[in-house]
Amino acid sequence: MSNVTLSIGGRDFRVGCRDGQEDQIRKLGAMIDDKVREANVDNRSPSEMLLFASLLLADEVKSAAPKGGGTPAASDETLDSIANRLESLASRLEQAAPNT
């Protein structure tokens, strides 16, 4: 088990991951940081900041779904599940983060 420190919205978050997954976690963290900057919510609480980033990412996934009867890349149910999981993770991160 490895730990990676991600800088998202000017805050550092320590994340545990499997050995060998560090680079992938860093790339995903950079994507989230980009969305936080895009949404201009880096001055919000960690949970709000991550919620806005997750909404932008979920919107991208939904927009990438084929139109006109094709098999969607992600169903509304899947997106809801992802959003709920991200909210839960953001809440845990906010509780664990020192007040800044």
Side-chain angles (χ1 to χ4, degrees), residues 32 38 42 45 80:
I32 294 168
E38 180 182 325
D42 53 339
S45 71
D80 288 342

Side-chain angles (χ1 to χ4, degrees), residues 5-44:
T5 300
L6 304 176
S7 181
I8 298 174
R11 293 182 171 99
D12 288 339
F13 298 94
R14 189 172 171 182
V15 179
C17 65
R18 293 185 184 139
D19 291 333
Q21 293 290 313
E22 298 88 353
D23 287 341
Q24 179 66 9
I25 296 298
R26 285 185 192 99
K27 288 177 187 174
L28 294 171
M31 286 176 59
I32 294 168
D33 186 51
D34 288 345
K35 292 302 169 191
V36 166
R37 291 175 195 278
E38 180 182 325
N40 195 26
V41 292
D42 53 339
N43 59 339
R44 304 273 184 122

Side-chain angles (χ1 to χ4, degrees), residues 43-81:
N43 59 339
R44 304 273 184 122
S45 71
S47 61
E48 289 177 315
M49 180 179 65
L50 295 171
L51 173 62
F52 280 105
S54 66
L55 288 171
L56 288 172
L57 289 167
D59 185 54
E60 284 183 15
V61 168
K62 186 167 181 143
S63 295
K67 306 273 189 265
T71 304
S75 68
D76 288 340
E77 189 174 297
T78 301
L79 292 174
D80 288 342
S81 175

